[in-house]
Amino acid sequence: MSLLVVGLSHRSAPVSVLERAALSADAQIKLLQDTVAAEPAAEAAVLATCNRIELYADVDKFHAGVAELSTLLAQHSGVGLEELTPYLYVHYEDRAVHHFFSVACGLDSMVVGEGQILGQIKDALATAQELHTAGRLLNDLFQQALRVGKRAHSETGIDRAGQSLVTFGLEQLSSGAPADAWLKGKRALVIGAGSMSSLAAATLARAGVAELVVANRTFDRAERLAALLAEQYGQRPAEPDDVDVLARAVPMESVPDELTRADVVVSCTGATGLVLTADLVAEAVEGRTGAPAVERAADSGSGSDSDSVRSGLPPTSVGSEDGCPLDLSAVQGSAVQGASGFSVMGEAAVAGMDAATLEQHAAWVDNGTVDRREGRRTPEIDTDAVAALAAAAATLGRVPERRRPEPVAEVPRPLPVLSLLDLAMPRDIDAAVHRLLGVRLVDIESLAEASADAPMAADVDQVRRIVSDEVAAFDAAQRAAHITPTVVALRAMAADVVASEIARLDGRLPGLDDKQRGEITQTVRRVVDKLLHAPTVRVKQLAAEPGGAGYADALRTLFDLDAETVAAVSRADDDSRDHDSAALGGLDFGRENFDSNNFESAENRGRA
């Protein structure tokens, strides 16, 4: 059997495809059950977050496994196989292990180095164990990935380079300003009470928001989260640096009213439809400003907004008309100009005039601007300039613009009155709110674009070396583990032989006392152990090397070991692993801890 992963992520698929392919909790369970029921797969686990969907399986056939896993992903995601296939990636055996360890270290995350992925891996393993779809391979793989991720975060500075998706999103909302300073004193609304929403709420509270409201479909969960936030971040007079957060819970029905009061909204629910529509957000803006929310004009600048801006600009200066040889009223109203404001010294004013009039106009311009220059040009230079203009007009049919253009008036844009951060997949907030004036929306799609240009941390290379080392160690351990049941079966067979021979000796020498029988038994066992020690140790070493998988078969053949006995040892080993994992509850990452430092560390769950 071999490890196979088939999936898609923000690196292989556009957000629109990821959004449609998102799996609900029920869909993930059904996918796992159908995968292990399929012929090529013996084990399965699903890692589904807001920016990746990956199906891990232990398969006995590569091509059949790829076909089956791809088909199952398409069926349970609701996206057609033909449409989904171009965005899928496949990793097999050691490449699959390398990919998964890179994911665990945050190297494949939208925000490089973020630690929330470890909580998601832990949740995926727990689900597979609960459904009994994870066997020896996937249990070993996922638990080792958790250890590798912890090692990367503890031995390198990847934590300093990485941010949580929440922090990164809030920094995008603040337009580059420090998120903590930007959030200070604002009113915040968090929609949802899951792991990512809890992280968002803690981040907002730590930044010093004046008020924090939590809305959730299950009101009890919102109340618990609000109570924990109030306890963790409430005012403590003995520590003046602490923030004073008024945290409270509201039902989902109160969201429209809370929108009219909130400055910042973070939404991350498991809803399959929109939580905030464009109309709802527009009504909230109108409630905040007292004026109807209007849409931004198209980016081309040809819309009504562009026209209104143009009409509000001051007219271009026409300069002084004294002594000008032009008929200004005729030129200003001409179709050539097309606008009432223009410069009498510019191209539009003199276009089409004959050479004699051009010379008069040039002389007038020169005389009219003498006093504004540091020094007056000589008559010879003026004559040359006029001649050059005349020649250009005769050749081109127009006079080139030589005057510096008038400065364009800057039109101030209002600051947004409502900032929205959508971290859900599929999206919670209608993308159409992008067009509403006074609203700023940052969602998974815009975060993906922003993170593409984010600088890589200097510690990334060190993390990659850790991943490579751990992949080699994992592969060696798996190869060695593959031969262990055979070695155990061999030693069990030897023990049976010893017991049989001692029983036969008792029949032939019934006069032996207990001391003599014990000495003989111990001697025979030592002989067998010494004979088997070197071969079994050496075969484990050889099996751990590349290409060592065949040593188990060779050992079974040489000693005529029963295949069913070896399989029974392997099953017993798997049962023991499952029992130990259930008893220990996996690796404890403190996922319910609300300590501020842990919300953005590897110990936290979340939908990164």
Side-chain angles (χ1 to χ4, degrees), residues 239-321:
E239 302 176 27
D241 292 336
D242 286 344
V243 296
D244 181 14
V245 176
L246 174 61
R248 57 188 176 89
V250 299
M252 287 294 288
E253 294 76 15
S254 300
V255 166
D257 292 334
E258 296 298 336
L259 280 177
T260 63
R261 305 178 65 253
D263 302 306
V264 181
V265 178
V266 180
S267 185
C268 186
T269 72
T272 56
L274 293 176
V275 176
L276 299 181
T277 63
D279 290 341
L280 185 62
V281 174
E283 292 174 3
V285 173
E286 183 176 352
R288 291 287 300 272
T289 63
V294 296
E295 292 189 358
R296 294 185 178 92
D299 293 338
S300 62
S302 59
S304 59
D305 185 51
S306 177
D307 294 337
S308 63
V309 170
R310 182 183 295 276
S311 64
L313 293 175
T316 309
S317 172
V318 298
S320 173
E321 302 177 9

Coordinates of all heavy atoms in Angstrom, one line a residue, residues 239-321:
E239 N -3.8 46.7 36.1 CA -2.9 46.6 34.9 C -3.4 47.6 33.9 O -4.3 47.3 33.1 CB -2.9 45.2 34.4 CG -2.5 44.2 35.4 CD -2.6 42.7 34.8 OE1 -2.5 42.6 33.6 OE2 -2.8 41.8 35.6
P240 N -3.0 48.9 34.0 CA -3.5 49.9 33.1 C -3.3 49.7 31.6 O -4.0 50.3 30.8 CB -2.8 51.2 33.6 CG -1.5 50.6 34.3 CD -1.9 49.3 34.9
D241 N -2.4 48.8 31.2 CA -2.2 48.6 29.8 C -3.2 47.7 29.2 O -3.3 47.6 28.0 CB -0.8 48.0 29.6 CG 0.3 49.0 29.9 OD1 0.0 50.2 29.9 OD2 1.5 48.6 30.2
D242 N -4.0 47.0 30.0 CA -5.0 46.1 29.5 C -6.1 46.8 28.8 O -6.4 48.0 29.1 CB -5.6 45.2 30.6 CG -4.6 44.1 31.1 OD1 -3.6 43.9 30.3 OD2 -4.8 43.6 32.1
V243 N -6.7 46.2 27.8 CA -7.8 46.8 27.1 C -9.1 46.6 27.8 O -9.2 45.7 28.6 CB -7.9 46.3 25.6 CG1 -6.6 46.6 24.9 CG2 -8.1 44.8 25.7
D244 N -10.0 47.5 27.5 CA -11.3 47.4 28.1 C -12.3 47.1 27.0 O -12.7 47.9 26.3 CB -11.7 48.7 28.8 CG -13.1 48.7 29.5 OD1 -13.6 47.6 29.6 OD2 -13.6 49.7 29.8
V245 N -12.7 45.8 26.9 CA -13.5 45.4 25.9 C -14.9 45.0 26.4 O -15.1 44.3 27.3 CB -12.9 44.1 25.2 CG1 -13.9 43.6 24.1 CG2 -11.6 44.4 24.6
L246 N -15.9 45.7 25.8 CA -17.3 45.4 26.1 C -17.7 44.3 25.2 O -18.1 44.6 24.0 CB -18.2 46.6 26.0 CG -19.7 46.4 26.2 CD1 -20.0 45.8 27.6 CD2 -20.4 47.7 26.0
A247 N -17.7 43.0 25.6 CA -18.0 41.9 24.7 C -19.5 41.5 25.0 O -19.8 41.2 26.2 CB -17.1 40.8 24.9
R248 N -20.3 41.3 24.0 CA -21.6 40.8 24.2 C -22.1 40.0 23.0 O -21.5 40.1 21.9 CB -22.6 42.0 24.4 CG -22.6 43.0 23.3 CD -23.5 44.2 23.6 NE -23.4 45.2 22.6 CZ -24.3 45.3 21.6 NH1 -25.2 44.3 21.5 NH2 -24.2 46.2 20.6
A249 N -23.0 39.1 23.3 CA -23.5 38.2 22.2 C -24.9 38.7 21.8 O -25.7 39.2 22.6 CB -23.6 36.8 22.8
V250 N -25.2 38.5 20.5 CA -26.5 38.8 19.9 C -26.9 37.6 19.0 O -26.1 36.9 18.5 CB -26.5 40.1 19.1 CG1 -26.1 41.3 20.0 CG2 -25.6 40.0 17.9
P251 N -28.2 37.4 18.8 CA -28.7 36.4 17.8 C -28.4 36.9 16.4 O -28.2 38.1 16.2 CB -30.1 36.3 18.1 CG -30.5 37.6 18.8 CD -29.3 38.0 19.5
M252 N -28.5 36.1 15.4 CA -28.2 36.4 14.1 C -29.3 37.5 13.6 O -29.0 38.3 12.7 CB -28.3 35.2 13.2 CG -27.0 34.3 13.3 SD -25.5 35.1 12.7 CE -25.8 35.1 11.0
E253 N -30.5 37.4 14.2 CA -31.5 38.3 13.7 C -31.2 39.8 14.0 O -31.7 40.7 13.4 CB -32.8 38.0 14.4 CG -33.4 36.6 14.0 CD -32.7 35.5 14.6 OE1 -32.0 35.7 15.6 OE2 -32.9 34.3 14.2
S254 N -30.2 40.0 14.9 CA -29.8 41.4 15.3 C -28.7 41.9 14.4 O -28.3 43.1 14.6 CB -29.4 41.4 16.8 OG -30.4 41.0 17.6
V255 N -28.2 41.1 13.5 CA -27.0 41.6 12.7 C -27.4 42.8 11.9 O -26.5 43.8 11.9 CB -26.6 40.4 11.7 CG1 -25.7 41.0 10.7 CG2 -25.9 39.4 12.5
P256 N -28.5 43.0 11.3 CA -28.8 44.2 10.5 C -28.7 45.5 11.4 O -28.1 46.5 11.0 CB -30.2 44.0 10.0 CG -30.4 42.5 9.9 CD -29.6 42.0 11.0
D257 N -29.2 45.4 12.6 CA -29.1 46.5 13.5 C -27.7 46.8 14.0 O -27.2 47.9 14.0 CB -30.0 46.3 14.8 CG -31.5 46.3 14.4 OD1 -31.8 46.9 13.4 OD2 -32.2 45.7 15.2
E258 N -26.9 45.7 14.2 CA -25.5 45.9 14.7 C -24.7 46.4 13.5 O -23.7 47.1 13.8 CB -25.0 44.5 15.1 CG -25.7 44.0 16.4 CD -25.5 44.9 17.6 OE1 -24.6 45.6 17.6 OE2 -26.4 44.8 18.5
L259 N -25.0 46.1 12.3 CA -24.2 46.7 11.2 C -24.3 48.2 11.1 O -23.3 48.8 10.7 CB -24.8 46.1 9.9 CG -24.4 44.7 9.4 CD1 -25.0 44.3 8.1 CD2 -22.8 44.6 9.3
T260 N -25.3 48.8 11.6 CA -25.4 50.3 11.6 C -24.5 50.9 12.6 O -24.3 52.1 12.6 CB -26.9 50.7 11.8 OG1 -27.3 50.3 13.1 CG2 -27.8 50.1 10.7
R261 N -24.1 50.1 13.6 CA -23.2 50.6 14.7 C -21.8 50.2 14.5 O -20.9 50.9 15.0 CB -23.7 50.1 16.0 CG -25.2 50.4 16.3 CD -25.6 49.8 17.6 NE -25.0 50.5 18.8 CZ -24.0 49.9 19.5 NH1 -23.6 48.7 19.2 NH2 -23.5 50.6 20.5
A262 N -21.5 49.1 13.7 CA -20.1 48.6 13.7 C -19.3 49.4 12.7 O -19.7 49.9 11.7 CB -20.2 47.1 13.3
D263 N -18.0 49.4 13.1 CA -17.0 50.0 12.2 C -16.3 48.9 11.4 O -15.9 49.1 10.2 CB -15.9 50.8 12.9 CG -16.5 51.9 13.8 OD1 -17.3 52.7 13.2 OD2 -16.3 52.0 15.0
V264 N -16.1 47.8 12.0 CA -15.4 46.6 11.4 C -16.2 45.4 11.6 O -16.7 45.1 12.7 CB -14.0 46.4 12.1 CG1 -13.2 45.2 11.4 CG2 -13.1 47.7 12.0
V265 N -16.3 44.6 10.5 CA -17.1 43.3 10.6 C -16.2 42.2 10.1 O -15.6 42.3 9.0 CB -18.4 43.4 9.8 CG1 -19.1 42.1 9.8 CG2 -19.3 44.6 10.2
V266 N -16.1 41.1 10.9 CA -15.4 39.9 10.4 C -16.4 38.8 10.4 O -17.1 38.5 11.4 CB -14.2 39.6 11.4 CG1 -13.5 38.3 10.9 CG2 -13.3 40.7 11.4
S267 N -16.5 38.1 9.3 CA -17.5 37.0 9.2 C -16.8 35.8 8.7 O -16.0 35.7 7.7 CB -18.6 37.4 8.1 OG -19.6 36.4 8.1
C268 N -17.1 34.7 9.4 CA -16.6 33.4 9.1 C -17.5 32.3 9.6 O -17.4 31.8 10.8 CB -15.2 33.2 9.6 SG -14.4 31.6 9.0
T269 N -18.5 31.9 8.9 CA -19.5 30.9 9.3 C -19.4 29.7 8.3 O -18.7 29.8 7.4 CB -20.9 31.5 9.2 OG1 -21.3 31.6 7.9 CG2 -21.0 32.9 9.9
G270 N -20.2 28.7 8.7 CA -20.2 27.6 7.8 C -21.5 27.6 6.9 O -21.8 26.5 6.4
A271 N -22.0 28.7 6.7 CA -23.3 28.9 5.9 C -23.0 28.5 4.5 O -21.9 28.8 4.0 CB -23.9 30.3 6.1
T272 N -24.0 27.9 3.8 CA -23.8 27.6 2.4 C -24.3 28.8 1.5 O -24.0 28.8 0.3 CB -24.6 26.4 2.0 OG1 -26.0 26.6 2.4 CG2 -24.0 25.2 2.8
G273 N -25.0 29.7 2.1 CA -25.4 30.9 1.3 C -24.9 32.2 1.9 O -24.1 32.2 2.9
L274 N -25.2 33.3 1.3 CA -24.7 34.6 1.8 C -25.3 35.0 3.1 O -26.5 34.8 3.4 CB -25.1 35.7 0.8 CG -24.4 35.6 -0.6 CD1 -24.9 36.7 -1.5 CD2 -22.8 35.7 -0.4
V275 N -24.5 35.5 4.0 CA -24.9 36.0 5.3 C -25.2 37.5 5.2 O -26.2 38.0 5.8 CB -23.8 35.7 6.4 CG1 -24.3 36.3 7.7 CG2 -23.6 34.2 6.5
L276 N -24.4 38.2 4.5 CA -24.6 39.7 4.3 C -24.7 39.9 2.8 O -23.8 39.8 2.1 CB -23.4 40.5 4.9 CG -23.1 40.3 6.4 CD1 -21.9 41.2 6.7 CD2 -24.3 40.7 7.2
T277 N -25.9 40.3 2.4 CA -26.2 40.7 1.0 C -25.8 42.1 0.8 O -25.6 42.9 1.7 CB -27.6 40.5 0.7 OG1 -28.4 41.4 1.4 CG2 -28.1 39.1 0.9
A278 N -25.7 42.5 -0.5 CA -25.3 43.9 -0.8 C -26.4 44.9 -0.4 O -26.1 46.0 0.1 CB -25.1 44.0 -2.3
D279 N -27.7 44.4 -0.5 CA -28.8 45.3 0.0 C -28.7 45.6 1.5 O -28.9 46.7 1.9 CB -30.1 44.7 -0.4 CG -30.3 44.7 -1.9 OD1 -29.7 45.5 -2.6 OD2 -31.2 43.9 -2.4
L280 N -28.4 44.5 2.2 CA -28.3 44.6 3.7 C -27.2 45.6 4.1 O -27.3 46.4 5.0 CB -28.1 43.3 4.3 CG -28.1 43.2 5.8 CD1 -29.4 43.7 6.4 CD2 -27.8 41.8 6.3
V281 N -26.0 45.5 3.4 CA -24.9 46.3 3.7 C -25.2 47.8 3.3 O -24.9 48.7 4.0 CB -23.6 45.8 3.0 CG1 -22.5 46.8 3.2 CG2 -23.2 44.5 3.5
A282 N -25.9 47.9 2.2 CA -26.3 49.3 1.7 C -27.2 49.9 2.7 O -27.1 51.1 3.0 CB -26.9 49.2 0.3
E283 N -28.1 49.2 3.3 CA -29.0 49.7 4.3 C -28.3 50.1 5.5 O -28.6 51.1 6.2 CB -30.1 48.7 4.6 CG -31.1 48.4 3.5 CD -32.1 47.3 3.8 OE1 -32.0 46.8 4.9 OE2 -32.9 46.9 2.9
A284 N -27.3 49.3 5.9 CA -26.5 49.6 7.1 C -25.7 50.9 6.8 O -25.6 51.8 7.7 CB -25.5 48.5 7.4
V285 N -25.1 51.1 5.6 CA -24.4 52.4 5.3 C -25.4 53.5 5.4 O -25.0 54.6 5.9 CB -23.7 52.3 4.0 CG1 -23.1 53.6 3.6 CG2 -22.6 51.2 4.0
E286 N -26.5 53.4 4.8 CA -27.5 54.5 4.9 C -27.9 54.8 6.3 O -28.1 55.9 6.7 CB -28.8 54.0 4.1 CG -29.8 55.1 4.0 CD -31.0 54.7 3.2 OE1 -30.9 53.7 2.5 OE2 -32.0 55.5 3.2
G287 N -28.0 53.7 7.2 CA -28.3 53.9 8.6 C -27.2 54.7 9.3 O -27.4 55.4 10.3
R288 N -25.9 54.4 8.8 CA -24.8 55.1 9.5 C -24.7 56.6 9.0 O -24.3 57.4 9.8 CB -23.5 54.4 9.1 CG -23.3 53.0 9.7 CD -23.0 53.1 11.2 NE -21.8 53.8 11.4 CZ -20.6 53.3 11.4 NH1 -20.4 52.0 11.2 NH2 -19.5 54.0 11.7
T289 N -24.9 56.8 7.7 CA -24.6 58.1 7.2 C -25.8 59.0 7.0 O -25.7 60.2 6.9 CB -23.9 58.0 5.8 OG1 -24.8 57.3 4.9 CG2 -22.6 57.2 5.9
G290 N -27.0 58.4 7.0 CA -28.2 59.1 6.8 C -28.5 59.4 5.4 O -29.5 60.1 5.0
A291 N -27.6 58.9 4.4 CA -27.8 59.1 3.0 C -27.8 57.8 2.3 O -27.1 56.9 2.8 CB -26.7 60.0 2.5
P292 N -28.5 57.6 1.2 CA -28.5 56.4 0.5 C -27.1 56.0 0.0 O -26.4 56.8 -0.4 CB -29.5 56.6 -0.7 CG -30.3 57.8 -0.3 CD -29.4 58.6 0.6
A293 N -26.8 54.7 0.1 CA -25.5 54.2 -0.3 C -25.5 54.2 -1.9 O -26.5 53.7 -2.5 CB -25.2 52.8 0.2
V294 N -24.5 54.7 -2.5 CA -24.4 54.7 -3.9 C -23.3 53.8 -4.4 O -22.3 53.6 -3.6 CB -24.2 56.1 -4.5 CG1 -25.5 57.0 -4.1 CG2 -23.0 56.8 -3.9
E295 N -23.3 53.4 -5.6 CA -22.3 52.5 -6.1 C -21.2 53.4 -6.7 O -21.4 54.4 -7.3 CB -22.8 51.6 -7.2 CG -23.8 50.5 -6.6 CD -24.1 49.5 -7.6 OE1 -23.7 49.6 -8.8 OE2 -24.8 48.5 -7.3
R296 N -19.9 52.8 -6.7 CA -18.8 53.4 -7.3 C -19.0 53.3 -8.8 O -19.6 52.4 -9.3 CB -17.5 52.8 -6.9 CG -17.1 52.9 -5.5 CD -15.8 52.3 -5.2 NE -15.3 52.5 -3.9 CZ -15.6 51.6 -2.9 NH1 -16.2 50.5 -3.2 NH2 -15.1 51.8 -1.7
A297 N -18.4 54.3 -9.6 CA -18.5 54.2 -11.0 C -17.5 53.1 -11.5 O -16.6 52.6 -10.7 CB -18.1 55.5 -11.6
A298 N -17.7 52.7 -12.7 CA -16.8 51.7 -13.3 C -15.4 52.2 -13.3 O -15.1 53.4 -13.4 CB -17.2 51.3 -14.7
D299 N -14.4 51.3 -13.3 CA -13.0 51.7 -13.3 C -12.6 52.5 -14.5 O -11.6 53.2 -14.5 CB -12.1 50.5 -13.1 CG -12.3 49.8 -11.8 OD1 -12.8 50.5 -10.8 OD2 -12.0 48.6 -11.7
S300 N -13.3 52.4 -15.6 CA -12.9 53.1 -16.8 C -13.0 54.6 -16.7 O -12.5 55.3 -17.5 CB -13.8 52.6 -18.0 OG -15.1 52.9 -17.7
G301 N -13.8 55.0 -15.7 CA -13.9 56.5 -15.5 C -15.0 57.1 -16.5 O -15.1 58.3 -16.5
S302 N -15.7 56.3 -17.2 CA -16.7 56.8 -18.1 C -18.1 56.9 -17.5 O -19.0 57.3 -18.2 CB -16.8 55.9 -19.4 OG -17.1 54.6 -19.0
G303 N -18.2 56.5 -16.2 CA -19.5 56.4 -15.6 C -19.9 57.8 -15.1 O -19.3 58.8 -15.2
S304 N -21.1 57.8 -14.4 CA -21.7 59.0 -13.9 C -20.8 59.6 -12.8 O -20.7 60.8 -12.7 CB -23.1 58.7 -13.3 OG -23.0 57.7 -12.3
D305 N -20.1 58.7 -12.1 CA -19.2 59.3 -11.0 C -18.1 60.1 -11.6 O -17.8 61.1 -11.1 CB -18.6 58.1 -10.2 CG -17.8 58.6 -9.0 OD1 -18.4 59.4 -8.3 OD2 -16.7 58.2 -8.9
S306 N -17.6 59.6 -12.7 CA -16.5 60.4 -13.4 C -17.1 61.7 -13.9 O -16.4 62.8 -13.8 CB -16.0 59.6 -14.6 OG -15.0 60.3 -15.3
D307 N -18.3 61.7 -14.4 CA -18.9 63.0 -14.9 C -19.1 64.0 -13.7 O -18.8 65.2 -13.9 CB -20.2 62.7 -15.6 CG -20.0 61.9 -16.9 OD1 -18.9 61.9 -17.4 OD2 -21.0 61.2 -17.3
S308 N -19.5 63.4 -12.6 CA -19.8 64.3 -11.5 C -18.5 64.9 -11.0 O -18.4 66.1 -10.5 CB -20.5 63.6 -10.4 OG -19.7 62.5 -9.9
V309 N -17.4 64.1 -11.0 CA -16.1 64.6 -10.5 C -15.6 65.7 -11.5 O -15.1 66.7 -11.1 CB -15.1 63.4 -10.5 CG1 -13.7 64.0 -10.2 CG2 -15.5 62.5 -9.3
R310 N -15.8 65.4 -12.8 CA -15.4 66.4 -13.8 C -16.1 67.7 -13.6 O -15.6 68.8 -13.7 CB -15.6 65.8 -15.2 CG -15.1 66.8 -16.3 CD -15.5 66.3 -17.7 NE -14.7 65.1 -17.9 CZ -13.5 65.1 -18.4 NH1 -12.8 66.2 -18.6 NH2 -12.8 63.9 -18.6
S311 N -17.4 67.6 -13.3 CA -18.2 68.8 -13.2 C -17.8 69.6 -12.0 O -18.0 70.8 -11.9 CB -19.7 68.5 -13.2 OG -20.0 67.7 -12.0
G312 N -17.3 68.9 -11.0 CA -16.9 69.6 -9.8 C -15.5 70.2 -9.8 O -15.1 70.9 -8.9
L313 N -14.7 69.9 -10.9 CA -13.4 70.5 -11.0 C -13.4 71.9 -11.4 O -14.3 72.3 -12.2 CB -12.6 69.7 -12.0 CG -12.3 68.2 -11.6 CD1 -11.6 67.6 -12.8 CD2 -11.4 68.2 -10.4
P314 N -12.5 72.7 -11.0 CA -12.5 74.1 -11.4 C -12.1 74.2 -12.9 O -11.3 73.4 -13.4 CB -11.4 74.7 -10.5 CG -10.5 73.6 -10.1 CD -11.4 72.4 -10.0
P315 N -12.6 75.2 -13.6 CA -12.3 75.3 -15.0 C -10.8 75.6 -15.2 O -10.2 76.3 -14.4 CB -13.2 76.5 -15.5 CG -13.4 77.3 -14.3 CD -13.5 76.3 -13.2
T316 N -10.3 75.2 -16.4 CA -8.9 75.5 -16.7 C -8.8 77.0 -17.0 O -9.6 77.6 -17.6 CB -8.5 74.7 -18.0 OG1 -8.8 73.3 -17.7 CG2 -7.0 74.8 -18.2
S317 N -7.7 77.6 -16.6 CA -7.5 79.0 -16.7 C -7.4 79.4 -18.2 O -6.8 78.8 -19.0 CB -6.2 79.4 -16.0 OG -5.9 80.8 -16.3
V318 N -8.1 80.5 -18.5 CA -8.0 81.1 -19.9 C -7.0 82.2 -20.0 O -6.8 82.7 -21.1 CB -9.4 81.6 -20.4 CG1 -10.4 80.5 -20.4 CG2 -9.9 82.7 -19.5
G319 N -6.4 82.5 -18.9 CA -5.4 83.6 -18.9 C -5.9 84.9 -19.2 O -7.1 85.2 -19.1
S320 N -5.1 85.9 -19.5 CA -5.5 87.3 -19.8 C -5.9 87.4 -21.3 O -5.1 86.9 -22.1 CB -4.4 88.3 -19.4 OG -4.8 89.5 -19.8
E321 N -7.0 88.1 -21.6 CA -7.4 88.2 -23.0 C -7.0 89.5 -23.6 O -7.2 89.8 -24.8 CB -9.0 88.2 -23.0 CG -9.6 86.9 -22.5 CD -11.1 86.9 -22.5 OE1 -11.6 87.9 -23.1 OE2 -11.7 86.0 -21.9

